[in-house]
């Protein structure tokens, strides 16, 4: 039995790094929404600072992956594993950036009381957090069914975002002086919705990894 | 850096070196023995024979008087025999080698033939003389003719030529045959256009070396009754003849010292002829090696 | 990086190309004495395309290649059962004489094996075997063949020089030219680049891409990545069996047999 031990170890390392990125992104989303709810500027700033670490993880994945392509000439599923690692890493990196953007909103809102208690945005964030968790789980287990199931949640996220949009629109008609905060809250909703789209992309990557076909889970 | 070499056992090493030197001297001695003996031989012969190495040697027939003797009939006899023997043994020897290497099925019978040929190559030459006497001289009634001599000598060199040619043919890389077959060549096309052109230099080397052995042979020809005193040139295949080694043998057997010197000059001529043939063989071999 | 989410389109990774089949092997078994070297081989090879045989040493890929021009005939005690059909003719039937078959199915070997003759005579060897004597005609064939083998420009001024004066890569291209000179339909290449340096290998690989416009190429290679680079169809052999054959991009991205996947990803056991 010929084993490509070093190669398999390196592929394992790629997965580990991706899972680590996933966990960090998940936490960044949860914490940024939390800091928004509690208007905790110090916490938000902390989150923003951590972005560099996430970028470093993405770079590590790119380095390991390109070195493996160069030295191991992977084919078939081995090649897909590396290609998929690149794609997922870049999705996760974007998701991290979007979470940071939410934290930045918290900083911008420093000293302004919230127009109302946030309900829909935390709910949306909760669903998306689960999506991130599931997408990484689907990747770990190469579970196509879970990937599809996770992607379905995106519809709910879109609905919620529509709801938020309508509510904010109504509010701004009645309270035009608070327009800037309304706009920022709208952005937050949009950021979360985007994070969900990226999670869906991860699901697509999982399906590609396992089946070599490229479905569109966004539609 | 120093530590690396400090643990060497100086004494043991010098012992090994001395041993090395002793062997070297022994081997040099073995080589020198041959060279010295050969040089002594050549010097003796040349000092004895150089005086008689003049045109008369090549133009005069043997005579009772040493001063008038030459080896014209012997030289011409040797050359005639070479010219007869070369084509016959070449065609038969190379033909047999091609058959054995390229066509013959690899079975027990072929192996038996093979074994026989290898053995024949080592049979003493006098046995071929007896065989030639029985077959060519008596059975075929060719008498003591040039043809009998040439055929007998052909028998002598045939096994050598077959073995050498087989080796030459076998040395042609299989890939060269494959290349030819893969282009749609038949067996004979492959043998004639690919195998033989590759092997021919080595075959020729073998043939020339075998012939040069035959040129120096005396015993089989004496058995079949080549004359020792021939005062004319053979005019047909059925005439009596003599060859250089026999002429030399004849002179040496005489009591007069003048004939001894004459024999020495005869040996010089014979040796020059052999050297020429060997040089030709070496040149062919070099050409062959360049082609590989 | 753009912030919009791009939606990937659904796309088949393998493109289907319609090739005509030129070689059709059905239920073929080959025995060397009692050794069963090829087992129930079923395989079709497309015309004017490159087909690569891959697999571990001793898997039978070279053996199968050599059945296609009947070079195996020369090995004693070889027995073949089943059908090897080339362009509609069973090549093991009595109506096929092996010389004509080998003229139509040329072969290039692992080691470049030029004859110890001039470059010209090497290329002219084949046509002369088949009776072409006319000098002008031979000149034309030699030039065309050397051009097709991408060697003409390098040797046109020294056609009388010994083939051994060429470099290894040039010698191999000379062998290709020699094979092309008898105007074959199919060119078999038995690990033709395995003894060459990377640059010469690349040249020959490029050459195959040119040649497949006119000839069907079947190659055995130990270099899996070479098969992936230059072949249209790949056949995977294991222990005398054809495990899988498919379009190359399909076989290397998504093999259908686990054994193929194990082999190409280097986890062969």
């Amino acid at each position: 039995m010929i084993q490509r031990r070093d190669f398999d170890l390196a592929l394992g390392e790629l997965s580990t790094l991706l899972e680590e990125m996933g966990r960090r992104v998940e936490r960044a989303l949860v914490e940024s929404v939390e800091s928004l709810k509690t208007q905790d500027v110090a916490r938000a700033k902390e989150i923003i600072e951590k972005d560099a670490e996430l970028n470093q993880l993405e770079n590590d994945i790119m380095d390991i992956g390109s070195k493996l392509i160069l030295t191991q000439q992977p084919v078939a599923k081995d090649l897909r594993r590396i290609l998929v690692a690149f794609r997922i890493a870049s999705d996760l990196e974007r998701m991290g950036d979007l979470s940071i953007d939410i934290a930045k909103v918290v900083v911008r809102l420093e000293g302004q009381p919230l127009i109302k208690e946030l309900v829909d945005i935390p709910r949306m964030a909760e669903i998306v957090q689960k999506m991130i968790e599931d997408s990484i789980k689907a990747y770990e287990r190469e579970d196509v069914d879970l990937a599809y199931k996770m992607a379905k949640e995106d519809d709910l996220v879109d609905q919620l975002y529509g709801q938020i949009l309508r509510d904010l629109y109504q509010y701004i008609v009645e309270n035009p002086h608070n327009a800037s905060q309304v706009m920022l809250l709208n952005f937050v909703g949009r950021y979360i919705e985007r994070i969900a789209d990226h999670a869906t992309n991860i699901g697509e990557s999982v399906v590609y990894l396992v089946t070599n076909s490229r479905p569109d889970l966004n539609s | 850096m120093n530590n690396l070499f400090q643990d060497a056992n100086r004494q043991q090493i010098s012992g090994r070196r001395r041993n090395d030197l002793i062997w070297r001297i022994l081997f040099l001695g073995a080589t020198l023995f041959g060279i010295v003996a050969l040089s002594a031989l050549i010097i003796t012969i040349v000092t004895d024979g150089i005086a008689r190495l003049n045109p008369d040697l090549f133009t005069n027939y043997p005579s009772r008087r040493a001063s008038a003797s030459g080896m014209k009939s012997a030289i011409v006899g040797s050359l005639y025999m070479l010219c007869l023997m070369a084509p016959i043994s070449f065609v038969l020897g190379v033909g047999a080698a091609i058959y054995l290497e390229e066509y013959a099925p690899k079975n027990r019978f072929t192996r038996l033939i093979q074994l026989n040929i290898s053995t024949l190559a080592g049979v003493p030459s006098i046995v071929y003389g007896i065989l030639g006497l029985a077959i060519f001289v008596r059975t075929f009634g060719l008498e003591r003719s040039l043809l009998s001599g040439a055929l007998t000598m052909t028998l002598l060199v045939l096994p050598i030529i077959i073995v050498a040619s087989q080796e030459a043919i076998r040395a042609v890389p299989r890939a060269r045959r494959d290349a030819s077959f893969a282009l749609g060549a038949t067996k004979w096309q492959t043998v004639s256009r690919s195998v033989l052109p590759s092997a021919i230099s080595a075959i020729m080397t073998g043939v020339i070396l075998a012939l040069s052995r035959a040129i120096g042979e005396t015993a089989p020809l004496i058995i079949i009754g080549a004359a020792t005193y021939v005062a004319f040139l053979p005019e047909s295949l059925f005439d009596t003849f003599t060859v250089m080694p026999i002429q030399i043998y004849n002179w040496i057997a005489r009591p007069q010292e003048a004939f001894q010197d004459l024999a020495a000059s005869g040996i010089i001529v014979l040796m020059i002829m052999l050297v020429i043939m060997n040089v030709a063989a070496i040149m062919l071999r070099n050409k062959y090696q360049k082609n590989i | 990086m753009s912030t919009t989410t791009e939606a990937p389109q659904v796309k088949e990774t393998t493109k289907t190309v319609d090739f005509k089949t030129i070689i059709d092997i059905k239920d073929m078994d080959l025995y060397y004495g009692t050794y069963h070297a090829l087992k129930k081989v079923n395989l079709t090879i497309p015309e004017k395309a490159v087909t690569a045989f891959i697999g571990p040493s001793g898997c039978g890929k070279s053996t199968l290649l050599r059945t296609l021009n009947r070079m195996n005939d020369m090995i004693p005690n070889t027995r073949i059962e089943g059908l090897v059909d080339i362009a509609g003719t069973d090549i093991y039937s009595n109506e096929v004489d092996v010389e004509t078959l080998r003229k139509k199915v040329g072969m290039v070997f692992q080691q470049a094996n030029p004859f110890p003759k001039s470059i010209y005579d090497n290329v002219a060897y084949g046509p002369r075997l088949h009776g072409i004597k006319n000098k002008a005609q031979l000149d034309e064939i030699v030039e065309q063949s050397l051009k097709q083998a991408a060697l003409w420009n390098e040797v046109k001024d020294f056609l009388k020089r010994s083939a051994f004066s060429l470099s290894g890569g040039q010698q191999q291209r000379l062998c290709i030219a020699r094979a092309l000179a008898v105007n074959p339909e199919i060119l078999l290449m038995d690990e033709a680049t395995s003894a060459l340096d990377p640059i010469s290998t690349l040249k020959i690989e490029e050459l195959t891409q040119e040649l497949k416009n006119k000839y069907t190429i079947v190659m055995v290679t130990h270099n899996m990545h070479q098969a992936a680079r230059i072949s249209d169809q790949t056949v995977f052999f294991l222990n005398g069996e054809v495990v899988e054959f498919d379009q190359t991009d399909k076989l290397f991205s998504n093999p259908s047999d686990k054994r193929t996947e194990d082999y190409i990803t280097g986890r062969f056991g």
Side-chain angles (χ1 to χ4, degrees), chain C residues 144-154 173 177 203 207:
Chain C
Q144 282 312 315
S145 306
L146 286 169
K147 275 180 179 164
Q148 283 191 71
L151 192 57
W152 176 251
N153 285 333
E154 288 158 63
R173 276 180 284 148
K203 275 193 187 146
L207 183 57

Side-chain angles (χ1 to χ4, degrees), chain A:
Chain A
M1 179 86 187
I2 298 164
Q3 301 257 11
R4 293 176 79 176
R5 202 160 158 272
D6 290 349
F7 184 39
D8 285 339
L9 283 176
L11 288 175
E13 198 183 340
L14 275 184
S15 308
T16 312
L17 288 174
L18 280 177
E19 285 152 25
E20 172 67 18
M21 271 187 94
R23 267 195 301 282
R24 282 171 187 255
V25 167
E26 211 183 308
R27 205 180 321 134
L29 173 67
V30 172
E31 292 193 1
S32 59
V33 172
E34 194 71 22
S35 69
L36 177 65
K37 232 161 85 179
T38 57
Q39 294 207 281
D40 187 341
V41 176
R43 200 171 167 193
K45 281 185 175 158
E46 227 173 85
I47 296 166
I48 295 170
E49 270 165 25
K50 279 192 181 162
D51 186 42
E53 293 171 25
L54 202 63
N55 290 341
Q56 187 53 50
L57 279 172
E58 191 200 7
N59 286 341
D60 289 350
I61 288 172
M62 298 298 282
D63 288 347
I64 294 173
S66 40
K67 194 177 150 208
L68 287 181
I69 289 178
L70 196 68
T71 57
Q72 303 280 350
Q73 288 108 34
V75 295
K77 199 164 179 184
D78 289 338
L79 179 61
R80 288 204 296 281
R81 249 182 244 282
I82 296 170
L83 296 180
V84 155
F86 288 163
R87 275 192 58 175
I88 295 180
S90 111
D91 277 323
L92 286 170
E93 193 270 339
R94 287 297 311 146
M95 290 154 92
D97 285 350
L98 290 164
S99 305
I100 304 296
D101 287 339
I102 297 173
K104 281 179 182 161
V105 167
V106 178
V107 178
R108 292 272 293 273
L109 286 176
E110 189 173 9
Q112 284 182 48
L114 290 175
I115 52 172
K116 65 179 264 259
E117 206 191 335
L118 300 178
V119 181
D120 286 337
I121 286 180
R123 231 186 104 199
M124 203 172 145
E126 210 175 297
I127 296 169
V128 173
Q129 181 215 335
K130 182 81 171 64
M131 283 177 73
I132 300 172
E133 198 189 319
D134 284 351
S135 67
I136 296 299
K137 214 182 267 174
Y139 168 75
E140 272 175 53
R141 301 178 187 165
E142 300 189 3
D143 186 339
V144 175
D145 294 338
L146 184 59
Y148 274 103
K149 210 179 115 226
M150 177 274 301
K152 275 235 170 69
E153 298 289 302
D154 193 38
D155 296 344
L156 192 54
V157 174
D158 288 346
Q159 263 174 39
L160 273 173
Y161 178 54
Q163 180 69 40
I164 291 169
L165 216 55
R166 275 192 300 278
D167 289 354
L168 288 174
Y169 184 69
Q170 199 162 358
Y171 180 86
I172 205 168
V173 174
E174 292 157 19
N175 308 285
H177 58 280
N178 261 346
S180 73
Q181 189 182 135
V182 169
M183 249 174 69
L184 287 173
L185 289 178
N186 169 37
F187 281 159
V188 171
R190 177 130 175 73
Y191 294 151
I192 300 175
E193 187 264 339
R194 284 261 198 79
I195 293 176
D197 286 345
H198 283 290
T200 313
N201 282 355
I202 295 176
E204 281 174 356
S205 294
V206 171
V207 175
Y208 171 66
L209 171 64
V210 179
T211 66
N212 193 43
S213 63
R214 280 180 251 149
D216 185 359
L217 302 192
N218 271 333
S219 55

Side-chain angles (χ1 to χ4, degrees), chain B residues 175 180-181 183 189 193 291, chain C residues 102 113 117 125 129-130 164:
Chain B
S180 177
F181 285 126
L183 287 165
Q189 283 178 320
R193 299 179 194 216
N291 272 349
Chain C
R102 290 186 188 145
N113 55 356
K117 299 172 189 286
Y125 189 94
L129 285 179
H130 298 286
F164 292 118

